Structures are given as C-alpha cells and as structure tokens.
C-alpha cells in the first residue's frame, strides 16, 4: 500500500463530479507529487490548474473537502492551505512514497511503443499438454448474483451487513474498499459505518468506509461503539425474555386457578394448551440461562 494509492482509491470510491475530480487531481499534484503534505494556494492559481471558472470552483472545493479527500484552512498570504487529512497520513508514520518523476527530463514512453532492444527478439514457447490427467470436479451452476456480475455465490462478502441504502454499485464499491480485510474486520467496518450513518455523522459513506478500512489494516479500528450496541441489544433481549416468562407463568397459573376454583378436572384441549405454554416457558428459560 502507498499514500498515493490510498488517496486515489478514496477518490474512486467517493463518486466525484467532473469539477471535483479536477480539484482533487490539482491538490494531489501540488502536495503528494512534490513530497509535501500541504500546499497554500490562491483561488486564482487553483482555477488555473483546474481550468474551472471561479464561480464553480468553490462548490467543487467544498465537495472534495466534505468527502474527506483533502482538508483546508485559511492562509494569511495565499488565501487557503490545502492539506492531506491526518487519517490518511496516520498509516505512514515513517514517511510516504513520492511518485517518481521521469529521469533526465525525458518523458515516459507510451506503453504501445517498443524498445529497439526488443525489435528483433522472439520468444518461443512449447505447446502445453492440454489433455487432462484427472477427472475435473463437477461444475457448480451459476447463481443469479454470479450471472449479473456480482460477488461470487460462495463469497463471504455476500453475508456482510451492507447498509440498506447501498445498491448493487454501492456494494461493489464497498467490496473494493474492504478487499484484503478479514471477514470479521470487514463486518466491523460496515457495522460502524451503518451506526455512523444512522446518527447522521457521515456525508460520504464510501469515503468514511475507506477511513475505517485503513484503520482496520493498521490495527487501530475502534470497535467500542459496536460492543456498547451489542450489550444494549443483549439487555433488551433479556428484558423481553423475562417479560415473556412472566406472561407465560401468569397464563399457566391462571388456568390452574380457574379449574381449581371450579372444582372440575381440566379437559383435554385446555391440558394440551397448558402443556404448550409450559414447553414454551422452559425453552425461553433455557435460552436465558445459556
């Protein structure tokens, strides 16, 4: 991993507009490409770099900063200073890789060009043996998800708790961000994202998810919020079960008291209902004690 790749991945996941992308690339150029974490710029200079009209530049800058790709603060001379957010830099305490410039001032060769050293060079390969030596395993019929280009049918990612607001494309983008994490870490990141979205703390869900994934990779992901929610949910479940136990016990005692007061034996239908109530009571009680 590298800081450059982290920023680019976050930008790809943030669904930038065309003007926001131009601003991001200009700030990426002025900071990371020069080995700096921050750079002061005037709006006129940034407008020149991005070729964006000044009346449309401010909303584009706001979009980039709101999505957590760059941070900004006033500067006494150059109007504003643009800085790589600390969330990205924290993963590289010992420094970060700076994209290399062409050597000797020469431009990079296009990938379609061929070096003179390889012009008359040929490589000969022997034909591989295509005859199978063992019986191939039976083919697994494709599922609807695999036909549509979604995640594989047996992938652990299908069981991940994606936010309900994520559509098919949102889940694919989230899966790219979570690529390489363990299933438990990926699940924790998505649960933390959902909690933050429910609390109204997230402006860019995919950008926030990228920050959570980075924290998980560096071992600094804080899951205390999830533990608190799990404990609260368990307490609510225990309270509901205790209430069910009390209600069932009242029903059983009520039937017994009714027939005892009448001085008559319990009929078969009522006895079967009483037995079902007792079975349900015992099942819930065992679940509480487990």
């Amino acid at each position: 991993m590298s800081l450059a790749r982290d920023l680019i991945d976050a930008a790809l996941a943030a669904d930038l507009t065309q003007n926001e992308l131009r601003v991001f690339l200009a700030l990426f150029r002025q900071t990371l490409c020069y080995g700096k974490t921050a750079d002061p710029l005037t709006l006129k200079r940034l407008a020149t770099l991005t070729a964006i009209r000044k009346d449309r530049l401010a909303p584009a800058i706001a979009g980039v900063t709101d999505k957590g790709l760059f941070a900004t603060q006033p500067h006494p001379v150059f109007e504003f200073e643009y800085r790589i957010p600390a969330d990205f830099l924290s993963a590289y305490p010992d420094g970060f890789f700076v994209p290399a410039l062409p050597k000797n001032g020469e431009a990079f060769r296009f990938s379609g060009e061929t070096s003179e050293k390889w012009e008359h060079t040929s490589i000969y390969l022997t034909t591989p043996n295509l005859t199978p030596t063992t019986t191939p395993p039976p083919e697994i019929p494709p599922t609807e998800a695999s036909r549509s280009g979604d995640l594989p049918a047996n992938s652990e990612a299908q069981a991940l708790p994606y936010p309900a607001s994520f559509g098919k494309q949102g889940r694919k983008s989230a899966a790219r961000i979570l690529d390489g994490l363990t299933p438990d870490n990926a699940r924790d990141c998505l649960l933390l994202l959902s909690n933050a979205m429910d609390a109204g703390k997230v402006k860019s869900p995919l950008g926030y998810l990228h920050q959570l994934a980075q924290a998980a990779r560096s071992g600094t992901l804080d899951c205390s919020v999830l533990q608190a929610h799990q404990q609260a949910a368990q307490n609510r479940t225990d309270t509901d079960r205790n209430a069910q136990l009390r209600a069932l016990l009242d029903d059983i005692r009520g039937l017994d008291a009714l027939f005892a007061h009448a001085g008559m034996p319990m009929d078969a239908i009522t006895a079967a209902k009483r037995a079902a109530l007792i079975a349900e009571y015992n099942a819930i009680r065992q679940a509480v004690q487990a």
Side-chain angles (χ1 to χ4, degrees):
M1 299 296 292
S2 69
L3 180 58
R5 178 177 173 182
D6 292 347
L7 281 170
I8 293 173
D9 286 347
L12 290 173
D15 192 21
L16 300 175
T17 65
Q18 182 176 357
N19 284 346
E20 289 172 351
L21 179 59
R22 287 177 175 271
V23 170
F24 169 79
L25 292 175
L27 298 180
F28 186 94
R29 173 187 185 274
Q30 294 299 115
T31 54
L32 190 62
C33 287
Y34 288 98
K36 299 185 296 183
T37 60
D39 189 46
L41 292 167
T42 63
L43 291 177
K44 181 178 180 181
R45 172 61 174 159
L46 196 53
T48 301
L49 288 171
T50 59
I52 300 175
R53 283 171 25 187
K54 285 188 177 181
D55 60 327
R56 298 180 180 178
L57 182 58
I61 296 173
V64 172
T65 56
D66 289 344
K67 292 171 182 176
L69 298 174
F70 276 90
T72 181
Q73 62 183 18
H75 191 273
V77 179
F78 294 95
E79 296 182 343
F80 294 100
E81 180 182 63
Y82 302 90
R83 180 177 298 275
I84 299 174
D87 293 338
F88 290 99
L89 297 175
S90 61
Y92 304 94
D94 299 326
F96 53 86
F97 170 78
V98 179
L101 297 175
K103 295 182 180 180
N104 300 326
E106 296 179 358
F108 288 114
R109 185 173 64 245
F110 292 107
S111 59
E113 297 178 1
T114 305
S115 171
E116 294 180 357
K117 297 181 181 179
W118 295 92
E119 184 175 358
H120 303 291
T121 303
S122 301
I123 300 176
Y124 299 92
L125 299 175
T126 58
T127 304
N129 181 15
L130 300 179
T131 304
T133 56
T134 58
T135 303
E139 184 178 355
I140 301 176
T143 62
E144 291 298 326
S146 60
R147 291 191 191 100
S148 62
D150 211 336
L151 297 173
N154 296 328
S155 173
E156 183 72 21
Q158 282 193 332
L160 293 177
Y162 292 103
S165 60
F166 276 25
K168 179 179 177 181
Q169 187 58 44
R171 291 194 299 270
K172 285 184 177 181
S173 298
R176 286 197 298 267
I177 295 173
L178 299 173
D179 184 33
L181 293 180
T182 65
D184 288 341
N185 281 340
R187 187 174 295 106
D188 289 343
C189 288
L190 289 171
L191 291 175
L192 287 170
L193 172 63
S194 296
N195 288 336
M197 291 174 64
D198 293 340
K201 299 179 180 179
V202 177
K203 294 182 179 179
S204 174
L206 292 176
Y208 189 81
L209 180 62
H210 184 274
Q211 296 178 14
L212 293 174
Q214 288 299 100
R217 292 186 178 95
S218 61
T220 59
L221 185 65
D222 183 8
C223 297
S224 57
V225 175
L226 295 181
Q227 295 171 359
H229 279 274
Q230 290 173 356
Q231 185 61 45
Q234 184 61 43
N235 293 338
R236 289 193 297 270
T237 300
D238 292 342
T239 301
D240 292 342
R241 286 174 174 174
N242 289 331
Q244 288 178 328
L245 288 176
R246 288 193 296 270
L248 290 170
L249 188 59
D250 289 342
D251 289 343
I252 295 170
R253 288 175 176 174
L255 289 176
D256 292 342
L258 177 64
F259 282 89
H261 181 73
M264 56 184 297
M266 191 175 292
D267 61 275
I269 296 178
T270 305
K273 179 179 179 181
R274 181 179 184 277
L277 292 174
I278 292 175
E280 185 178 357
Y281 177 90
N282 291 333
I284 296 176
R285 187 176 180 182
Q286 290 177 359
V288 172
Q289 295 175 348

